[in-house]
Amino acid sequence: MAEREPTAIVCSGGGMKSAHGAGFLYALATQLEITSPDIMVGSSGDAGNVMYFSAGNYEGIKRIWTELLSTPKFISLLRYWRVMDIDYLIDTVFKKQEPMDVLKLKSSPIRWFVPINDFDTGRTRYVSAADELDPFEVLRATTALPIVFGHQIPIAGKRYIDGELGPILQDHVTQALRQGAKRIVLINHTTPWNILSRAVFKGYAAHIPQGMHDAVIRDISTSVFQMTAPGAHVIVVAPQNLPAGNLTRDKRKLQATFDRGVTDALAIEKELRDFFQN
């Protein structure tokens, strides 16, 4: 019997729309019993989903998105200096309310990768278990979106920010290909750049180091759907009109977005089973 081709799941992030990715992964594990992709790449809002999945805490993924994030302690438009409190997400949700099992994450057979962006050079670093960095600080960095959080995260003497600002979709797919993936499930939650969001981040780019400036300009100038994967078979899941937006904290909308992820996974059950079991 021929050896199964290496498989990957790539989740591009997208703020609170990543509740959809959580639902998709939850269904994959608990209903389709698919728990062992060879490779996972998850950035920004989906990084936690990938880490919890890799550690085998599927119910934790569900509880985080459907119960724990719908609080002004995490997101508040009235707290303009820190609309999204990433420190609350990491130090309260991930460490206390639904603790991530660091030992299981470290020993997981899944080769997981989380991008973080060097604030001074604009270079993207894909962190894995092999780097032996504190996974909580990696999560803090990959979710540290400028403007709504506004802090760089120090790791090993460098400053990092959100793993979805700077890298483009192609970068995440290329990382999976570099690891040998021949079958890729791509879950893309990234919102297309509009005139306002381009203007906001172009203004932001004008006041940061040149390397990061160039990375941001490249990002906002590239289609969020643009990518190729030579030699690989790709299933693309790109949900539109999700109930949750980037900064949604409404519990009903987060639940509905999570449920949409479950539905989308079950809708392509046969394709997914063929991908991961043949």
Side-chain angles (χ1 to χ4, degrees):
M1 182 177 293
E3 184 177 351
R4 179 175 64 84
E5 294 180 317
T7 58
I9 299 174
V10 176
C11 302
S12 69
M16 302 305 284
K17 295 195 301 297
S18 294
H20 174 274
F24 192 99
L25 294 179
Y26 180 79
L28 206 66
T30 64
Q31 298 191 45
L32 303 184
E33 298 183 335
I34 296 171
T35 59
S36 301
D38 298 294
I39 302 147
M40 296 187 80
V41 179
S43 72
S44 195
D46 272 296
N49 293 336
V50 163
M51 284 191 175
Y52 274 74
F53 186 96
S54 296
N57 189 352
Y58 315 123
E59 294 300 329
I61 296 174
K62 180 179 181 179
R63 182 168 179 251
I64 287 169
W65 285 98
T66 62
E67 298 180 28
L68 300 181
L69 298 186
S70 52
T71 170
K73 293 179 181 179
F74 178 41
I75 295 177
S76 175
L77 297 178
L78 298 178
R79 194 178 52 235
Y80 63 87
W81 63 94
R82 187 180 288 206
V83 172
M84 182 177 283
D85 191 343
I86 299 304
D87 290 336
Y88 176 84
L89 174 67
I90 306 304
D91 298 326
T92 300
V93 178
F94 290 163
K95 289 185 178 181
K96 297 177 181 178
Q97 294 178 333
E98 189 61 51
M100 182 171 64
D101 193 323
V102 175
L103 292 179
K104 286 186 178 179
L105 177 66
K106 184 176 181 179
S107 62
S108 174
I110 299 171
R111 285 179 285 144
W112 55 266
F113 298 89
V114 170
I116 56 178
N117 229 43
D118 189 315
F119 181 71
D120 295 294
T121 67
R123 294 173 184 164
T124 302
R125 176 179 181 180
Y126 285 89
V127 177
S128 72
D131 291 292
E132 298 187 343
L133 296 175
D134 183 337
F136 292 109
E137 294 311 304
V138 173
L139 282 173
R140 198 187 308 270
T142 196
T143 53
L145 181 63
I147 301 174
V148 298
F149 180 58
H151 296 277
Q152 299 90 47
I153 309 304
I155 297 178
K158 296 185 178 182
R159 301 184 294 171
Y160 292 96
I161 61 171
D162 190 280
E164 201 56 42
L165 182 64
I168 59 175
L169 187 61
Q170 183 66 61
D171 297 328
H172 304 328
V173 173
T174 298
Q175 175 64 17
L177 293 173
R178 285 197 192 105
Q179 298 303 314
K182 295 299 183 182
R183 301 182 182 188
I184 301 172
V185 176
L186 173 59
I187 309 170
N188 186 7
H189 300 125
T190 311
T191 303
W193 296 98
N194 57 33
I195 294 175
L196 178 59
S197 59
R198 278 196 179 96
V200 168
F201 280 95
K202 187 175 182 180
Y204 167 75
H207 302 284
I208 58 178
Q210 187 64 46
M212 191 67 230
H213 167 276
D214 294 344
V216 171
I217 296 302
R218 170 179 176 255
D219 191 347
I220 66 177
S221 303
T222 305
S223 168
V224 299
F225 303 112
Q226 179 180 316
M227 72 91 196
T228 60
H233 181 191
V234 182
I235 294 175
V236 178
V237 180
Q240 302 298 305
N241 302 315
L242 290 172
N246 289 336
L247 295 175
T248 296
R249 76 158 194 257
D250 183 279
K251 188 172 184 177
R252 290 172 298 177
K253 292 182 178 180
L254 291 174
Q255 178 72 63
T257 303
F258 181 92
D259 292 343
R260 172 78 176 276
V262 171
T263 299
D264 286 351
L266 297 181
I268 55 173
E269 175 179 354
K270 184 180 184 303
E271 292 177 82
L272 292 172
R273 289 192 186 281
D274 288 345
F275 237 51
F276 291 102
Q277 296 178 0
N278 294 334

